[in-house]
Amino acid sequence: MAAMVIDGKEAAAQVLDTVKTATAELIRTTGITPGIAVIIVGEDPASQAYVRSKGRRAEECGFRSVTHRLGADTAQADLLRLVGELNGDDAIHAILVQLPLPGHIDEGEVIQAIAPHKDVDGFSFVNVGKLATGQTDTAFVPCTPAGSMVLLRRALAKTDYSGLNAVVIGRSNIVGKPMANLLLAANATVTIAHSRTRDLPALARSADILVAAVGRPQMVRRDWIKPGACVIDVGINRVPAPELGEGKSRIVGDVAFDECAEIAGAITPVPGGVGLMTVAMLMANTLASACRAAGVSAPRY
Ligand code: GUN
């Protein structure tokens, strides 16, 4: 294996350490404790697990953490009422509505109901617009792309990607589009590829920075990788693993790790890569929100 494996566990631990220290300092100097409210609607097991880990991490960071668990049949009006109450609650600096929501609820309407200054997911029009226009000092940047940028910076040991070609595979609002904007802000030459892109392997081979965020297990193969490229795998896919026993499964990324690691210069593993950064950056955004409310500057990562 030639590639350097980018350690998401270590990077996430460093972000969380910084958050914990800065939180203690914020509480000591201003009396303000960062508060986060997470809302989950329904019983989806993966979402439940994500929400539990967010609550645990928030408590470890010294935050006030509240989880609202609502039934799958919750009316949209009731959900909107709860969001409205949290918008007006001064003890809450961060609101996250876990996605996906049940089909009878208009996800867009709920996301846009969150006050932009508490929208730590960075999904509201205000935060999307700020990121797209380069106002990252006051925007909330979506957590997965923000964490991916931290990993990229560690791997490349620089923050300016002038002259580098970046290809982002996937055009979701949660990852692909904000990731492309962050890379553009870092002076990379950015292409967004998606299911309608012609000759994706050839395009991927032009990338010095390749980001895979499509949700298709091990789609990116060895011949898609430019020698020495930095590969960021955002995929978290559960696949059957009969080799581990009957009915067992395992998690793989969007990148065929072993074969791509022979060609890449640096690569994130799955698990142990980007996934761990998402929750860490949620904590960073929550602290940033409380710092803004207190009028003090937030740490950088
Ligand atoms: N579901 C999967 N990823 C995310 C995320 O980043 N934020 C929210 N709110 N829901 C999600």
Coordinates of all heavy atoms in Angstrom, one line a residue, residues 38-39 47 50 54 95-100 111 114 121 123 142-145 174-175 278 282, ligand 1:
V38 N -31.4 18.4 19.6 CA -31.6 17.5 18.4 C -33.0 17.0 18.4 O -33.5 16.5 19.4 CB -30.5 16.4 18.5 CG1 -30.7 15.4 17.4 CG2 -29.1 16.9 18.5
I39 N -33.6 17.0 17.2 CA -34.9 16.5 17.1 C -34.9 15.3 16.1 O -34.3 15.4 15.1 CB -35.9 17.6 16.5 CG1 -35.9 18.8 17.3 CG2 -37.3 17.0 16.3 CD1 -36.7 20.0 16.7
S47 N -30.6 6.4 12.2 CA -30.8 7.8 12.7 C -30.7 7.8 14.2 O -30.1 8.7 14.8 CB -32.1 8.4 12.2 OG -32.1 8.6 10.8
Y50 N -27.2 7.6 15.2 CA -26.5 8.9 15.0 C -26.8 9.9 16.1 O -26.0 10.6 16.6 CB -26.8 9.5 13.6 CG -26.2 8.8 12.5 CD1 -26.9 8.5 11.3 CD2 -24.8 8.5 12.5 CE1 -26.4 7.8 10.2 CE2 -24.3 7.8 11.4 CZ -25.0 7.5 10.3 OH -24.5 6.9 9.2
K54 N -24.5 11.9 18.9 CA -24.5 13.4 19.0 C -24.7 13.8 20.4 O -24.0 14.7 20.9 CB -25.5 14.0 18.0 CG -25.1 13.9 16.6 CD -26.2 14.2 15.6 CE -25.8 14.0 14.2 NZ -26.9 14.1 13.2
I95 N -29.7 24.0 16.7 CA -30.9 23.1 16.5 C -30.5 22.2 15.3 O -30.1 22.7 14.3 CB -32.1 23.9 16.2 CG1 -32.4 24.9 17.3 CG2 -33.3 23.0 15.9 CD1 -33.5 26.0 16.9
L96 N -30.8 20.9 15.5 CA -30.5 20.0 14.4 C -31.8 19.1 14.3 O -32.2 18.4 15.3 CB -29.3 19.1 14.7 CG -28.9 18.1 13.6 CD1 -27.4 18.1 13.4 CD2 -29.4 16.7 13.9
V97 N -32.4 19.0 13.1 CA -33.5 18.1 12.9 C -32.9 16.9 12.1 O -32.4 17.2 10.9 CB -34.6 18.8 12.1 CG1 -35.7 17.7 11.8 CG2 -35.2 19.9 12.9
Q98 N -32.8 15.8 12.7 CA -32.2 14.6 12.0 C -33.0 14.3 10.7 O -34.2 14.1 10.7 CB -32.1 13.4 12.9 CG -31.4 12.2 12.4 CD -29.9 12.4 12.2 OE1 -29.3 13.3 12.9 NE2 -29.3 11.7 11.3
L99 N -32.3 14.1 9.6 CA -32.9 13.7 8.4 C -32.5 12.2 8.1 O -31.5 11.7 8.6 CB -32.3 14.6 7.2 CG -32.5 16.1 7.4 CD1 -31.8 16.8 6.3 CD2 -34.0 16.5 7.5
P100 N -33.3 11.5 7.3 CA -34.5 11.9 6.7 C -35.7 12.0 7.6 O -35.7 11.3 8.7 CB -34.7 10.8 5.6 CG -34.1 9.6 6.2 CD -33.0 10.1 7.0
I111 N -36.5 22.5 7.5 CA -35.1 23.0 7.5 C -35.1 24.6 7.5 O -34.4 25.2 8.3 CB -34.3 22.5 6.3 CG1 -34.0 21.0 6.6 CG2 -33.0 23.3 6.1 CD1 -33.5 20.3 5.3
I114 N -35.8 26.6 10.8 CA -34.7 26.8 11.8 C -34.1 28.2 11.7 O -33.7 28.5 10.5 CB -33.7 25.7 11.7 CG1 -34.3 24.3 11.9 CG2 -32.5 25.9 12.7 CD1 -33.4 23.1 11.5
D121 N -26.4 22.7 11.1 CA -26.2 21.9 9.9 C -25.8 22.7 8.7 O -25.3 22.1 7.7 CB -27.5 21.2 9.5 CG -27.6 19.8 10.1 OD1 -26.6 19.1 10.1 OD2 -28.8 19.3 10.4
F123 N -27.9 24.2 6.6 CA -28.7 23.8 5.4 C -29.7 25.0 5.1 O -30.4 24.9 4.0 CB -29.6 22.6 5.8 CG -28.8 21.3 6.0 CD1 -29.4 20.2 6.6 CD2 -27.5 21.2 5.5 CE1 -28.7 19.0 6.8 CE2 -26.8 20.0 5.7 CZ -27.4 18.9 6.4
P142 N -21.9 23.0 6.5 CA -22.3 21.6 6.8 C -21.2 20.8 7.3 O -20.1 20.9 6.9 CB -22.9 21.2 5.5 CG -23.3 22.4 4.8 CD -22.3 23.5 5.2
C143 N -21.5 19.9 8.3 CA -20.5 19.3 9.1 C -19.6 18.3 8.4 O -18.4 18.2 8.6 CB -21.2 18.6 10.3 SG -22.1 19.7 11.3
T144 N -20.2 17.5 7.5 CA -19.4 16.5 6.7 C -18.4 17.1 5.8 O -17.2 16.8 5.9 CB -20.4 15.5 6.0 OG1 -21.2 14.9 7.0 CG2 -19.6 14.4 5.3
P145 N -18.8 18.1 5.0 CA -17.8 18.7 4.2 C -16.8 19.5 5.0 O -15.6 19.5 4.7 CB -18.6 19.7 3.2 CG -20.0 19.5 3.5 CD -20.2 18.4 4.6
I174 N -26.3 18.3 1.1 CA -25.6 18.0 2.4 C -24.1 17.9 2.2 O -23.4 18.4 3.1 CB -26.2 16.8 3.0 CG1 -27.7 17.0 3.4 CG2 -25.5 16.4 4.3 CD1 -28.4 15.8 4.1
V175 N -23.7 17.3 1.1 CA -22.2 17.1 1.0 C -21.6 17.6 -0.3 O -20.8 18.5 -0.3 CB -21.8 15.6 1.1 CG1 -20.3 15.4 1.0 CG2 -22.3 15.0 2.4
T278 N -17.8 14.2 11.2 CA -19.1 14.8 11.1 C -19.6 15.3 12.5 O -20.0 16.4 12.7 CB -20.1 13.9 10.4 OG1 -19.6 13.6 9.1 CG2 -21.5 14.6 10.3
L282 N -20.0 19.1 14.2 CA -21.2 19.5 14.8 C -21.0 20.2 16.1 O -21.6 21.2 16.4 CB -22.2 18.4 14.9 CG -23.5 18.7 15.6 CD1 -24.4 19.7 14.7 CD2 -24.4 17.4 15.8
Ligands
GUN1 N1 -28.8 12.7 8.2 C1 -27.7 12.3 7.6 N2 -26.7 13.2 7.7 C2 -27.3 14.3 8.3 C3 -26.7 15.6 8.7 O1 -25.6 15.9 8.4 N3 -27.6 16.4 9.3 C4 -28.9 16.0 9.6 N4 -29.7 16.9 10.2 N5 -29.4 14.8 9.3 C5 -28.6 14.0 8.6

